[in-house]
Amino acid sequence: MSPVLQANNLAVSRQGVEVFGSLTFAVPAGQVSAIVGANGSGKTTFLEATLGLLPFQGELQVLGQVPPQANRKIGYVSQGVDHYRTEFLRVRDLLTINQRSNTFDHDDEAFNLGVNTIKFHLDDRMSELSMGQAQKAAIVGALAGRPQVLFLDEPFSGLDPKSSTEIIELLGRLNQEQQLSIFIVTHDIHKLEPILSSVLRFEDHRATYYPDLTEALHDEGHHA
Amino acid sequence: MIELLQRDFVQVALLAAMLVSLSAGLVGYFVVIRQNIFFTHTLSHIGFPGAVLAILIGLDPSWGLIIFSTAAGLIFTWSKPRTENDDLGTGIILVLSMALGLVLTRFSVSASKSLEALLFGNIFVVTKQQLLLYAGIAILVVFILASLFKPLLYSSILEKEALAKGVNGPMLSHLYIVLLSLVVAVSVQVVGALLIFALLVLPPAAAIKMVSAPTRAFLVSPLIAMLCAVGGVILSLAIDLPASFCIVVLATLIYLIAIGVKKWLN
């Protein structure tokens, strides 16, 4: 299967300081991959370079294209759910905010799968939702427009175990039933173990790609 | 009262109130959702020395207000990212501008006479030429904000997500700041630099409390602003109090009612 995300000798700097360098890997399409590492190790920086929000050196391709060319085929939820819990949007507004039209695409199976897991009212303001509900709405909103790959930046931060489990179940179904490729920045790969295929670990200005989950979990034990 | 409403200067004032409040209600919606409230307040104060300077050199104060607030708005957005909140720096610029404006009024009798109108507004001195300017700005605001409503809403609330989807957030930001600066400049003449809150913040804040759908709140906001501005002008004629005072009181009342209704509904 052709890679969904590919890097060759990739390096990214912020304000002249190299965050990480010499990163080479290729992630096949249709996988759920975790991006892990300590705070400040470069996880979000990597994600922002992948989205074309930051410049980079070396080669980087998403769906075979240099960022941000493939961004229309990408769904993205940024870090921290608080900015989603706004009184300025209702749930239904968030679900179509990245589309020209304000109506739902009823033929979009992945989007509908997500909408059907929403148990709260679509006319509720986002500010009235719990953190877990808002995070789920944010993910479903990112599914609008039929993305082929989903990037989620710390989606479980501040969430209770029940909400985390519901979101993991939704991501698992999106991956299995809709063949969606998913990248999740997280601090806890054990939580994602049931749906995870590979891991990208950032540490000491370097990154290591583990195509095999067993090896990643083994190394995680050494880093814990 | 009816006889008064037929007077030329009152009709110009009512038209000015309608045009300025239409622009203020629309652009003010984004002031509230982008949380640019203190920044907007500061822009009006930066326009103050510009207006005094314009009077000193014999120009319409509107031009001084427009040039100073637009230049300041653009310098602010170019100099720092939107996410960086610098209330201290903004506050320093606010007081410096006021101090500079005050000193400049010492150099001209006509400028010192305009001091109260610039600080607290005087809609009854609006000229027909200024009315044309207000109409031009209103058309620009309606056209640009109606065409760019959704991408501007997206990048105002979810900045990174919008950028990742190809929305040109920085370009929209600059465009919005230019519109905001123009509207601030004309609102100063209606309610004054010190009371700008009444037209640019209270009506959209009330609209957002009353209506949850963004497009509807965006449309209700100018209606409330127009109600306050036109109602304030008529009220001021009826009870012989300054129009800006009446506009501020009406805007505050509507905002309080909106909060009350929302609480009651919940």
Side-chain angles (χ1 to χ4, degrees):
Chain A
M1 203 173 272
S2 62
V4 64
L5 185 61
Q6 194 167 16
N8 189 12
N9 208 20
L10 177 72
V12 183
S13 303
R14 271 190 195 268
Q15 288 152 356
V17 179
E18 188 177 274
V19 181
F20 62 85
S22 313
L23 177 56
T24 298
F25 69 93
V27 183
Q31 289 197 351
V32 178
S33 307
I35 301 170
V36 297
N39 289 336
S41 60
K43 306 183 298 290
T44 298
T45 300
F46 169 72
L47 211 58
E48 290 184 2
T50 307
L51 292 162
L53 302 179
L54 281 178
F56 56 84
Q57 291 85 48
E59 286 174 33
L60 179 60
Q61 287 196 338
V62 186
L63 298 164
Q65 291 178 294
V66 176
Q69 287 170 12
N71 279 17
R72 295 221 171 268
K73 300 175 214 162
I74 289 175
Y76 167 56
V77 179
S78 65
Q79 191 178 348
V81 75
D82 278 347
H83 56 296
Y84 277 95
R85 295 171 77 199
T86 168
E87 69 169 327
F88 309 130
L89 295 177
R90 296 168 302 170
V91 178
R92 65 169 68 252
D93 304 315
L94 177 71
L95 300 188
T96 54
I97 198 164
N98 67 19
Q99 303 297 298
R100 277 179 193 278
S101 163
N102 284 334
T103 52
F104 292 175
D105 179 356
H106 293 292
D107 297 329
D108 183 345
E109 289 180 20
F111 177 70
N112 283 317
L113 195 158
V115 171
N116 291 335
T117 64
I118 289 179
K119 300 286 183 266
F120 35 95
H121 292 297
L122 295 180
D123 286 323
D124 284 349
R125 291 187 194 235
M126 287 299 295
S127 54
E128 291 161 6
L129 304 188
S130 69
M131 287 176 78
Q133 289 172 328
Q135 187 62 262
K136 189 185 264 189
I139 292 170
V140 178
L143 293 172
R146 304 178 185 229
Q148 293 172 30
V149 52
L150 202 56
F151 288 100
L152 309 175
D153 197 348
E154 299 202 23
F156 310 113
S157 179
L159 264 57
D160 59 60
K162 185 173 174 281
S163 301
S164 297
T165 307
E166 279 181 20
I167 289 175
I168 291 167
E169 275 174 20
L170 170 64
L171 296 175
R173 286 189 65 190
L174 287 166
N175 174 249
Q176 289 297 309
E177 296 171 23
Q178 305 298 324
Q179 290 75 49
L180 191 69
S181 303
I182 304 172
F183 291 85
I184 306 166
V185 174
T186 181
H187 286 286
D188 185 1
I189 58 171
H190 295 287
K191 194 185 275 185
L192 284 171
E193 214 179 312
I195 62 168
L196 210 55
S197 302
S198 59
V199 174
L200 183 61
R201 177 189 303 286
F202 285 85
E203 192 178 35
D204 298 330
H205 305 287
R206 289 282 173 273
T208 315
Y209 176 62
Y210 297 89
D212 176 56
L213 188 61
T214 318
E215 198 186 338
L217 288 169
H218 178 261
D219 269 19
E220 176 78 4
H222 289 295
H223 287 92
Chain B
M1 180 71 181
I2 291 175
E3 196 184 308
L4 203 57
L5 288 173
Q6 287 168 340
R7 301 271 294 272
D8 212 24
F9 79 97
V10 175
Q11 290 185 351
V12 170
L14 285 171
L15 267 174
M18 273 190 245
L19 292 168
V20 170
S21 55
L22 169 68
S23 309
L26 291 174
V27 87
Y29 175 79
F30 286 100
V31 169
V32 174
I33 69 163
R34 292 169 76 97
Q35 296 173 0
N36 286 152
I37 292 163
F38 186 50
F39 172 71
T40 302
H41 189 64
T42 303
L43 272 188
S44 70
H45 288 65
I46 294 171
F48 172 58
V52 177
L53 202 62
I55 295 170
L56 277 178
I57 57 174
L59 285 174
D60 184 329
S62 303
W63 295 112
L65 281 162
I66 286 174
I67 292 167
F68 267 57
S69 53
T70 310
L74 287 174
I75 290 168
F76 265 102
T77 39
W78 275 321
S79 62
K80 67 184 182 63
R82 221 189 103 207
T83 42
E84 250 179 51
N85 198 358
D86 182 13
D87 277 355
L88 179 63
T90 312
I92 291 169
I93 293 168
L94 184 151
V95 289
L96 267 178
S97 305
M98 289 302 281
L100 179 65
L102 196 63
V103 165
L104 287 173
T105 56
R106 301 283 295 271
F107 295 101
S108 152
V109 178
S110 60
S112 62
K113 276 183 183 166
S114 308
L115 189 62
E116 192 181 319
L118 287 171
L119 292 180
F120 299 102
N122 187 357
I123 199 164
F124 294 110
V125 297
V126 169
T127 62
K128 285 184 179 167
Q129 284 77 15
Q130 285 173 327
L131 214 52
L132 282 176
L133 176 71
Y134 300 172
I137 290 174
I139 291 168
L140 202 65
V141 168
V142 169
F143 178 73
I144 293 178
L145 291 186
S147 5
L148 297 174
F149 177 75
K150 203 157 184 190
L152 188 55
L153 179 76
Y154 191 15
S155 73
S156 298
I157 298 175
L158 302 171
E159 194 179 13
K160 277 189 182 174
E161 280 82 345
L163 268 176
K165 274 287 172 194
V167 174
N168 191 338
M171 188 274 285
L172 287 175
S173 244
H174 290 138
L175 202 55
Y176 153 76
I177 289 294
V178 170
L179 289 182
L180 174 63
S181 307
L182 292 174
V183 174
V184 163
V186 293
S187 301
V188 164
Q189 292 188 307
V190 178
V191 282
L194 297 177
L195 305 175
I196 204 116
F197 219 79
L199 273 188
L200 272 150
V201 177
L202 287 175
I208 288 164
K209 294 283 175 215
M210 286 177 188
V211 190
S212 55
T215 38
R216 280 185 217 146
F218 176 67
L219 295 175
V220 168
S221 169
L223 292 179
I224 296 175
M226 282 164 106
L227 182 69
C228 297
V230 174
V233 170
I234 294 171
L235 195 62
S236 82
L237 293 169
I239 60 174
D240 196 23
L241 281 173
S244 40
F245 167 77
C246 297
I247 294 170
V248 171
V249 169
L250 280 180
T252 310
L253 273 177
I254 291 176
Y255 179 68
L256 291 175
I257 290 168
I259 291 180
V261 169
K262 197 187 171 201
K263 279 197 174 153
W264 181 70
L265 285 174
N266 285 342

